[in-house]
Amino acid sequence: MTAGNNGASTPEDDDPFGYLYADGQANGAQPPSGGYGYPNSVNRVRPVGTRQYGQQAQPAPQQQGVYGQANAHYAAPETLPGGAPTAPSHQSSHGGGGRGRGPNTKGLLIGAIAVVAAVVIGISVAVIGGDDEDGGGNQADSTPTQSQDSGEPTPSASKSAGEEEKAELPTADAKALRLGGSAALASDVEGAQSDGGSYVANLNQPGNSVTWTVNDIPEDGAYTVFVRYSTADEPQSMTLTVNGKEFGSKLNMDNFARAKDGDFSKGWTQTFAWPTLNKGSNTISVSCADGDKCNVLVDQLWLKEGQVKE
């Protein structure tokens, strides 16, 4: 053999396009006239394995297949040694091996319906649950509180009412006070809030005092007595007497307004004490005792219920 000729009846000789090349034409290749394009070929199906290279091909016997009958050239894998096991009959009856049988559409349809039903049920449960929660929230919001339902005042309203009651307790101007010793009314210094701008002066001598008899105390208990005064001196202190008994330590009458140079018109301020009063009538006195510092002008006295600072 040579490089250009490897023998007859080899696969190279079956080149359907050999007639296009010079060497193919030299070997007698002709354009195809039918079949697969091979020279002198015919439309013939060869069973696998019947082709023998280097030999003349033998025509395969025509097989007239009949639908439903076994092919003589076919052997099932399970009939061969080591072949696959035979499937049970119920598998073959439900499998896809039969000719013309499609997928199990009935089963797919049932599964799809089940999925849709589950989704619809889940959405319905979620919507119903959301409605219940919203309804519960609206019901809680619409329920009146105890104070609204019963008409009883709220704690803040009670406190306001109590403050109004404290404000209604009596207030005594300078003209309503009983003066003791050489104490006297005056109105020369501006800033007094008593009627006519009057106030009590000359309290800086021992024995001088102002006394307030207050009536209509609603009940026994702690009260706050306020004293409005003016001073332009160093811190002052006087004696507070309640119902004939000296109350606590001295009443602090400091120069809280920080008035300077004896300017009493700039020194108006107030102080307080927390005595216990009796229901009904009580007597409250502010006096200048020995050792007290009493360089003050007294304007008003008033009460509030409880222990407060203003």
Side-chain angles (χ1 to χ4, degrees), residues 3-288:
N5 186 1
N6 291 329
S9 300
T10 61
E12 291 80 356
D13 295 333
D14 292 337
D15 186 358
F17 302 103
Y19 68 92
L20 297 176
Y21 307 102
D23 55 352
Q25 294 175 4
N27 292 330
Q30 299 294 328
S33 60
Y36 296 110
Y38 295 93
N40 303 321
S41 64
V42 297
N43 289 332
R44 181 175 300 165
V45 179
R46 295 187 182 92
V48 177
T50 59
R51 175 73 175 181
Q52 298 294 330
Y53 294 101
Q55 298 179 5
Q56 186 176 358
Q58 298 296 327
Q62 296 292 329
Q63 299 292 335
Q64 186 67 31
V66 179
Y67 177 73
Q69 295 182 357
N71 193 325
H73 294 278
Y74 172 77
E78 58 269 17
T79 62
L80 300 177
T86 303
S89 59
H90 69 276
Q91 294 180 354
S92 62
S93 62
H94 296 286
R99 182 175 182 181
R101 291 179 60 87
N104 190 353
T105 58
K106 184 177 180 180
L108 294 175
L109 180 59
I110 294 174
I113 294 174
V115 171
V116 173
V119 172
V120 172
I121 293 173
I123 294 174
S124 301
V125 171
V127 171
I128 293 173
D131 293 340
D132 292 342
E133 292 178 358
D134 294 340
N138 293 333
Q139 182 178 2
D141 293 339
S142 61
T143 303
T145 59
Q146 182 177 0
S147 59
Q148 292 173 341
D149 187 30
S150 62
E152 295 178 357
T154 60
S156 59
S158 299
K159 182 177 180 181
S160 298
E163 291 177 352
E164 291 177 358
E165 291 177 359
K166 295 175 185 178
E168 291 176 356
L169 290 175
T171 298
D173 285 349
K175 294 180 179 181
L177 300 175
R178 187 175 75 245
L179 306 183
S182 60
L185 291 176
S187 57
D188 299 336
V189 177
E190 296 180 355
Q193 294 182 355
S194 294
D195 185 20
S198 60
Y199 53 88
V200 178
N202 297 331
L203 290 172
N204 57 346
Q205 297 294 325
N208 294 347
S209 65
V210 294
T211 301
W212 179 28
T213 301
V214 55
N215 299 314
D216 300 326
I217 297 299
E219 60 183 357
D220 298 345
Y223 291 82
T224 302
V225 56
F226 290 91
V227 179
R228 188 171 188 271
Y229 67 96
S230 175
T231 184
D233 204 341
E234 60 184 3
Q236 307 294 297
S237 61
M238 299 182 69
T239 301
L240 177 65
T241 303
V242 177
N243 295 327
K245 295 181 179 179
E246 185 175 335
F247 177 78
S249 58
K250 301 296 181 178
L251 184 63
N252 185 7
M253 305 183 80
D254 199 353
N255 184 7
F256 297 117
R258 299 295 183 264
K260 298 179 179 179
D261 301 331
D263 188 359
F264 282 85
S265 64
K266 303 294 184 180
W268 292 105
T269 185
Q270 67 186 39
T271 188
F272 63 89
W274 292 336
T276 299
L277 301 181
N278 303 322
K279 181 178 180 180
S281 179
N282 294 264
T283 301
I284 300 173
S285 297
V286 178
S287 60
C288 184

